[in-house]
Amino acid sequence: MNQSKSQRLFAEAQKYIPGGVNSPVRSFRAVGGTPPFLARGKGSRVWDVDGNEYIDFLSSWGPLVLGHAHSKVVEALKKAAEVGTSFGAPVELEVELARLICQAIPSIEKVRLVNSGTEACMSALRLARAFTGRSKIIKFSGCYHGHADGLLVKAGSGAMTHGIPTSAGVPDSYARETLVADYNDLTSVEQLFESHPGDIAAVIVEPVAGNMGVVPPAEGFLAGLSRITAESGALLILDEVITGFRVAPGGAQELFDLTPDITCLGKIIGGGLPVGAYGGRAEIMEMVAPLGPMYQAGTLSGNPLAVTAGLATLRELQQPGTYERLEALGQRLAHGLTQAFKQAQVPSTINRVGSMLTGFFTGGPVDSLAGVERADAAQYGRYFHAMLERGVYFAPSQFEAAFVSLAHTDEDIDRTVEKAAEALSGLG
Ligand SMILES: *Cc1c(COP(=O)(O)O)cnc(C)c1O
């Protein structure tokens, strides 16, 4: 595989950008090698600056549920750009996006748009603290909620990939306000509530963990969190930045029949542009400025371009059959990969919820962070590169999800499985 131009650009990038990247996992440190610099994307495919073509399962880490450069999104963006890219004043489109979100997710009566998932989660926690008058929060080890200070304690995603479970620069005094429980372990949550009575403002959770690789919620886990928080006057914050509009039209809360107090959104609702959102019951959201004392603002929040891409994406998702199609494609990929691993006699566990999945290099089961950590990340690295060379782009870390989009075809999936069988048989 020719990578000469990417190599040149990566060397240049490292002169001016820390690690040559604007988000750590992109650096390929977890798998080694040079990240291809991408030049173009269309549908299920991306092309790098050296002309190599890949079937893409990164999907920009989740937002591109329609695939790259979807014509409806591109057309809408062109029109929007021509009439002004930012006003810092109300526009009609942001009302439309907010209405669409509230209609799709009934637990969200009011919603505030921000610019990223990080901002959404950071703001949701501030809101929970404002509403309850309490200071501590519970998160789960291996779950990632963006890079706000208090959330980088035992975080997944890049923080996990790079062995930085707690970031430097976060004061101990602040980190102490974050309590950490084990995913899929209700007892660990109950113990924290017992040892900190009346202090816990909220539990924040990925309803389907995606940032330690995909780990579905155990039977009764999310309902248990709902019960425990309600009983103790704390709020349940569902971080649906990945799952929102991906696993069902109403997100994971529809799939698992939950009514969280606050929901965080991002990724898909921006259709590939920077958007996040947090919303919930009206009485909670009315704490937010200008109605209430919890301050949160943003120069580019509700930005017309970002909102346009989000609206075009969500409207396309509302076409009949889209979620059935995502489920069928996800199932086809999971089934094919399971066969490929079996044939190659490589121990594996494929975890999947709808169109998000991870193939762990371990016999499993993978239903907790401890299970995830048994995966052979070095072997994943070799597999990842073997796939990249064969024109398939998975996430450059074992501890991430693959995302199927509506642009993937059955042929894309079958070709991917074929390549996986080849790559796995060569691992030795
Ligand atoms: C990606 C992600 C975030 C952070 O979103 P950014 O837009 O990257 O700031 C938060 N929570 C979850 C579950 C995510 O996957």
Side-chain angles (χ1 to χ4, degrees):
M1 185 168 81
N2 178 17
Q3 276 209 301
S4 55
K5 213 163 166 191
S6 282
Q7 278 159 357
R8 220 166 41 242
L9 283 171
F10 195 40
E12 189 70 6
Q14 289 175 74
K15 289 188 206 161
Y16 304 108
I17 305 173
V21 289
N22 283 313
S23 195
V25 191
R26 296 180 199 169
S27 69
F28 274 34
R29 296 235 166 166
V31 291
T34 303
F37 276 62
L38 296 184
R40 196 162 66 84
K42 186 72 194 167
S44 63
R45 307 296 168 114
V46 290
W47 290 265
D48 69 18
V49 291
D50 291 293
N52 301 302
E53 177 179 327
Y54 309 93
I55 302 174
D56 180 33
F57 290 99
L58 196 62
S59 296
S60 186
W61 302 93
L64 298 183
V65 69
L66 306 181
H68 293 269
H70 189 277
S71 57
K72 292 250 172 71
V73 177
V74 173
E75 284 312 311
L77 277 173
K78 280 182 184 162
K79 276 197 200 128
E82 276 173 0
V83 295
T85 57
S86 180
F87 300 104
V91 296
E92 187 172 353
L93 288 169
E94 61 192 335
V95 188
E96 281 181 42
L97 181 57
R99 189 196 304 123
L100 200 157
I101 290 171
C102 291
Q103 284 170 351
I105 306 177
S107 75
I108 303 182
E109 292 172 352
K110 290 193 174 175
V111 63
R112 175 57 68 78
L113 300 180
V114 293
N115 303 288
S116 67
T118 293
E119 264 188 76
C121 296
M122 177 184 83
S123 308
L125 288 177
R126 186 182 304 143
L127 177 57
R129 286 172 163 141
F131 186 76
T132 60
R134 301 172 177 184
S135 66
K136 295 203 185 304
I137 57 135
I138 294 178
K139 77 176 285 290
F140 293 91
S141 51
C143 283
Y144 178 69
H145 307 289
H147 62 85
D149 282 352
L151 287 169
L152 283 177
V153 181
K154 302 230 166 125
S157 193
M160 175 161 160
T161 301
H162 296 123
I164 315 177
T166 301
S167 170
V170 177
D172 285 348
S173 60
Y174 193 47
R176 273 200 296 278
E177 302 299 329
T178 303
L179 308 171
V180 180
D182 293 321
Y183 194 77
N184 278 340
D185 179 355
L186 280 179
T187 308
S188 70
V189 179
E190 280 162 347
Q191 282 167 351
L192 288 174
F193 272 99
E194 275 161 29
S195 53
H196 298 86
D199 281 347
I200 296 167
V203 174
I204 185 167
V205 66
E206 289 181 73
V208 176
N211 286 287
M212 52 177 151
V214 173
V215 180
E219 181 80 40
F221 175 61
L222 296 171
L225 293 181
S226 207
R227 174 181 53 78
I228 295 168
T229 47
E231 282 170 5
S232 53
L235 302 187
L236 177 61
I237 303 174
L238 278 198
D239 179 353
E240 298 228 43
V241 169
I242 288 180
T243 53
F245 294 95
R246 176 168 287 280
V247 298
Q253 53 197 275
E254 177 185 331
L255 201 61
F256 300 111
D257 193 21
L258 294 164
T259 308
D261 299 293
I262 304 176
T263 298
C264 301
L265 296 167
K267 298 198 167 112
I268 286 179
I269 63 159
L273 270 77
V275 183
Y278 63 103
R281 275 206 311 282
E283 83 177 301
I284 300 174
M285 291 307 291
E286 282 163 9
M287 295 290 292
V288 179
L291 291 182
M294 188 290 243
Y295 194 74
Q296 180 272 311
T299 302
L300 292 173
S301 293
N303 172 265
L305 284 187
V307 167
T308 293
L311 267 175
T313 299
L314 298 188
R315 288 196 178 122
E316 202 57 24
L317 278 172
Q318 287 178 331
Q319 300 297 317
T322 49
Y323 287 90
E324 290 79 0
R325 180 73 190 141
L326 285 170
E327 169 67 21
L329 286 164
Q331 197 173 30
R332 193 178 184 98
L333 181 60
H335 178 77
L337 288 177
T338 303
Q339 296 306 313
F341 274 101
K342 269 199 194 129
Q343 267 161 31
Q345 297 185 323
V346 176
S348 72
T349 304
I350 313 268
N351 279 352
R352 178 183 74 88
V353 176
S355 56
M356 56 192 283
L357 71 86
T358 300
F360 291 98
F361 280 74
T362 172
V366 181
D367 53 13
S368 65
L369 181 60
V372 165
E373 284 171 341
R374 282 193 284 274
D376 187 339
Q379 201 179 28
Y380 179 83
R382 292 193 294 279
Y383 166 72
F384 166 81
H385 278 291
M387 291 301 277
L388 201 64
E389 274 164 32
R390 287 169 174 79
V392 182
Y393 200 132
F394 278 124
S397 162
Q398 168 74 95
F399 309 115
E400 301 286 354
F403 295 106
V404 175
S405 78
L406 289 167
H408 286 103
T409 61
D410 286 354
E411 292 71 40
D412 286 334
I413 302 296
D414 295 349
R415 190 179 159 88
T416 299
V417 168
E418 219 174 275
K419 299 295 171 192
E422 268 178 48
L424 288 167
S425 72
L427 283 187

